[in-house]
Amino acid sequence: MPDRTYPIDDNKTLEEIKYRELFRVTEKFHSSMDINSVLAEIIQTLKRVFPTYDYFLLLSNDHDACEDLPIKNLEYNSENATAIASYVNATVELEDTEYPVMYAPLKGKQGVYGVLQVKSLLTSELENSQIDFIRLLANTAGNALENAKLYQQSQKLVEDLRLIDEISQKLNSTSSLFETMNYLHNQIKKSFQAAAIGFIILEDHRPRVLEGSSSYFEEESSNELIHAVLKKIENTNESLFMGEIKQMPLSVQTFYGSLMAVPMIHSNAVNGLAIVLGNKPYSFSFEKFKLLQSLIQRSSLAVANLMLREKLEKLVITDQLTQLYARNYLNDMIEESMKSDRGGTFILIDLDDFKEINDTFGHQTGDQVLIQVADLIRKCLRSTDIGARWGGEELAVYLPDIPIEQGAQIAERLLNHVSQQTKPAVTMSCGVSNWDPCKPDGLTQLFSRADTALYEAKKAGKNRISVKKI
């Protein structure tokens, strides 16, 4: 129905205009489930009936207001005591000032949703008929607002349940922890407009940031935040919701304004937590906080199961003493590399006179020496390189896409580190070989060349490398 104004003439009294307008706006309210449409209709109706008044809608700050509407935030610490009294007591309040002001609560059956402020531009007092009309309009609008809010809440609840169900299905269908955490990160960022997201697990009561977290949580500066959050939840196991993070370290407050943290609980114990940060204070509503709690609670079991699975898989491919890879895993990775890479270098390592270490210091010390050498190997390798235990005191290193000349330099560096940094001191010999995609080759031939080179290094006096190029 198009908006219209009513000129006052002999055939229409102001009272008729007001109640026809009230009837019209009531019909319009019942046909709308949009909060901003209801608020706009209140103002438009008042402007038509009382063109010499000013109007404001005083609403709580949980409403995403349309910028075109005359809306002010209604806060409990406001200096406007009359407006607060109208809101708290759900009563019409009048201010007896030079220009009369009326406050009418926007009241529904379940609560008060704001206050309508009407200010006369004339010095004369508001008439009872005007007060009654504004009260009726506010009451009608309050019911309409309530219906619209309940409708929007129900729609949002359906969306949230759909999101939770979708994420649960996805988490239960993935077998990779990395893939799972990346998916969860993307969904939280999309649904919450989060500035940073961190997934932290506890290993021996120490926090470890999982892959899939935002880059902020990979920086050392995030450690202060993680420990502060853990300290707050360690006794209660309850989630944190901070509209303003004034209680957090200053290093965090520099970049972020609000925080949500939800513990990952499995078998009645906290084994991790999710931290979601917003750029500004009050970036997240309480409804968003409850949604995050549901998401993390649903995700905790899947994450725990995937972590257990990865631990079991790691046990299968890892040598328990040195924590280097097992030989079978090394073989598989080299075969994969031979299918896709442009070449690679293989280093076969044998600790010199290792039997004497065992005989002199005992097998436990011998094991510690092996662990020391394995640690030195790990420190020298890239993330794509593979260090493995070949058997007994023999170790191996594979360097994909590394030419044999560079591989020999790496072997020389390892040789020096081991002789200088082990205690009791031990030396080693290395046989270095390579493969070339332009020449027919296989694992057996690659290993055979390295073994031959290792034998030559031993024969030449030990504590040295020997190279056998394809």
Side-chain angles (χ1 to χ4, degrees):
M1 185 181 293
D3 295 337
R4 57 184 182 274
T5 58
Y6 294 98
I8 301 176
D9 55 30
D10 294 339
N11 297 322
K12 278 186 183 155
T13 67
L14 182 58
E15 290 302 306
E16 288 176 336
I17 292 172
K18 285 193 293 188
Y19 286 100
R20 285 193 182 190
E21 192 67 15
L22 188 60
F23 178 76
R24 183 197 67 79
V25 79
T26 301
E27 282 189 322
K28 199 157 187 179
F29 283 161
H30 286 307
S31 66
S32 175
M33 285 297 159
D34 180 73
I35 291 174
N36 281 320
S37 296
V38 172
L39 297 175
E41 195 60 42
I42 297 172
I43 299 301
Q44 290 167 10
T45 301
L46 287 168
K47 284 182 177 179
R48 283 193 290 268
V49 177
F50 302 121
T52 58
Y53 289 16
D54 278 341
Y55 316 99
F56 288 96
L57 294 160
L58 310 181
L59 306 174
S60 57
N61 58 11
D62 64 346
H63 175 70
D64 296 326
C66 174
E67 294 181 358
D68 297 333
L69 295 173
I71 291 177
K72 296 179 181 179
N73 284 339
L74 182 65
E75 299 176 355
Y76 283 104
N77 59 358
S78 170
E79 295 179 358
N80 193 335
T82 311
I84 296 298
S86 177
Y87 180 77
V88 173
N89 301 323
T91 56
V92 170
E93 301 289 339
L94 297 173
E95 279 186 353
D96 188 14
T97 57
E98 182 181 357
Y99 297 97
V101 183
M102 173 180 174
Y103 297 92
L106 301 171
K107 181 173 61 174
K109 292 183 176 63
Q110 297 184 13
V112 178
Y113 300 93
V115 174
L116 171 62
Q117 181 189 51
V118 181
K119 183 176 182 180
S120 175
L121 301 180
L122 304 174
T123 55
S124 56
E125 293 183 358
L126 293 170
E127 298 177 5
N128 288 337
S129 61
Q130 294 172 320
I131 294 172
D132 288 341
F133 177 80
I134 294 169
R135 179 192 289 112
L136 283 171
L137 178 63
N139 285 342
T140 306
N143 283 307
L145 270 178
E146 184 170 80
N147 290 336
K149 280 182 174 289
L150 290 173
Y151 175 76
Q152 290 189 2
Q153 288 171 4
S154 66
Q155 292 295 104
K156 187 68 178 68
L157 181 60
V158 170
E159 291 176 12
D160 291 349
L161 289 173
R162 187 180 295 119
L163 176 65
I164 291 170
D165 184 59
E166 177 187 327
I167 289 178
S168 297
Q169 290 186 28
K170 178 67 176 179
L171 294 181
N172 291 327
S173 65
T174 57
S175 57
S176 162
L177 182 62
F178 175 74
E179 181 185 346
T180 296
M181 302 321 294
N182 268 302
Y183 173 78
L184 198 55
H185 177 281
N186 292 334
Q187 290 299 318
I188 291 175
K189 186 174 183 179
K190 177 182 175 183
S191 300
F192 297 82
Q193 287 76 54
I197 303 162
F199 302 108
I200 297 93
I201 60 167
L202 300 177
E203 294 181 336
D204 298 324
H205 303 290
R206 293 181 179 180
R208 176 170 75 88
V209 177
L210 290 176
E211 289 185 278
S213 300
S214 299
S215 58
Y216 166 74
F217 288 93
E218 297 171 3
E219 301 169 6
E220 286 189 14
S221 58
S222 69
N223 291 339
E224 198 175 1
L225 169 66
I226 293 170
H227 283 94
V229 172
L230 284 171
K231 187 174 181 180
K232 284 185 175 293
I233 69 171
E234 64 181 353
N235 295 325
T236 63
N237 292 352
E238 293 183 356
S239 303
L240 288 180
F241 179 56
M242 294 183 177
E244 293 183 293
I245 56 175
K246 293 181 179 178
Q247 301 174 39
M248 288 290 107
L250 288 174
S251 59
V252 183
Q253 296 181 40
T254 304
F255 300 102
Y256 303 104
S258 48
L259 174 147
M260 298 186 291
V262 180
M264 296 179 182
I265 298 176
H266 181 57
S267 300
N268 297 320
V270 174
N271 61 0
L273 71 153
I275 300 176
V276 179
L277 298 169
N279 279 325
K280 300 177 181 179
Y282 304 104
S283 295
F284 312 114
S285 66
F286 190 71
E287 286 73 20
K288 288 291 186 183
F289 173 57
K290 300 301 288 184
L291 174 59
L292 181 67
Q293 284 183 299
S294 297
L295 286 179
I296 299 305
Q297 286 166 6
R298 290 288 191 95
S299 307
S300 294
L301 179 59
V303 171
N305 287 340
L306 286 170
M307 288 176 60
L308 179 60
R309 176 173 177 169
E310 291 207 347
K311 283 182 180 178
L312 292 173
E313 289 176 347
K314 188 176 180 181
L315 284 174
V316 172
I317 63 173
T318 304
D319 173 66
Q320 295 309 295
L321 177 64
T322 62
Q323 293 300 299
L324 294 174
Y325 287 110
R327 181 170 174 174
N328 286 342
Y329 179 78
L330 173 72
N331 294 354
D332 292 341
M333 292 300 100
I334 296 177
E335 285 186 330
E336 288 296 318
S337 175
M338 285 179 163
K339 295 175 185 176
S340 58
D341 293 330
R342 295 167 294 178
T345 295
F346 177 69
I347 305 171
L348 187 58
I349 299 167
D350 184 68
L351 299 187
D352 298 328
D353 304 316
F354 189 69
K355 185 177 182 300
E356 292 183 10
I357 295 287
N358 285 330
D359 292 344
T360 304
F361 300 100
H363 287 278
Q364 188 172 358
T365 299
D367 287 347
Q368 289 302 314
V369 169
L370 271 172
I371 292 170
Q372 290 177 47
V373 174
D375 288 342
L376 291 170
I377 288 174
R378 264 192 299 272
K379 289 176 183 177
C380 289
L381 301 185
R382 305 168 299 172
S383 60
T384 53
D385 299 333
I386 300 167
R389 188 175 185 186
W390 191 255
E393 68 270 21
E394 286 189 320
L395 308 173
V397 170
Y398 178 65
L399 310 168
D401 275 329
I402 292 293
I404 194 166
E405 294 78 13
Q406 188 178 344
Q409 292 173 3
I410 293 170
E412 192 72 50
R413 188 161 67 244
L414 281 172
L415 199 79
N416 293 330
H417 286 330
V418 168
S419 64
Q420 296 168 11
Q421 299 182 38
T422 50
K423 189 176 181 180
V426 68
T427 62
M428 68 183 193
S429 301
C430 301
V432 184
S433 64
N434 72 316
W435 64 271
D436 189 320
C438 299
K439 300 176 182 179
D441 203 9
L443 278 183
T444 302
Q445 293 87 344
L446 177 68
F447 295 159
S448 178
R449 288 193 298 274
D451 191 54
T452 300
L454 177 61
Y455 174 78
E456 291 175 355
K458 290 280 191 183
K459 188 177 178 181
K462 305 176 184 177
N463 192 25
R464 67 193 63 228
I465 70 168
S466 177
V467 177
K468 191 83 172 174
K469 191 173 182 180
I470 186 172

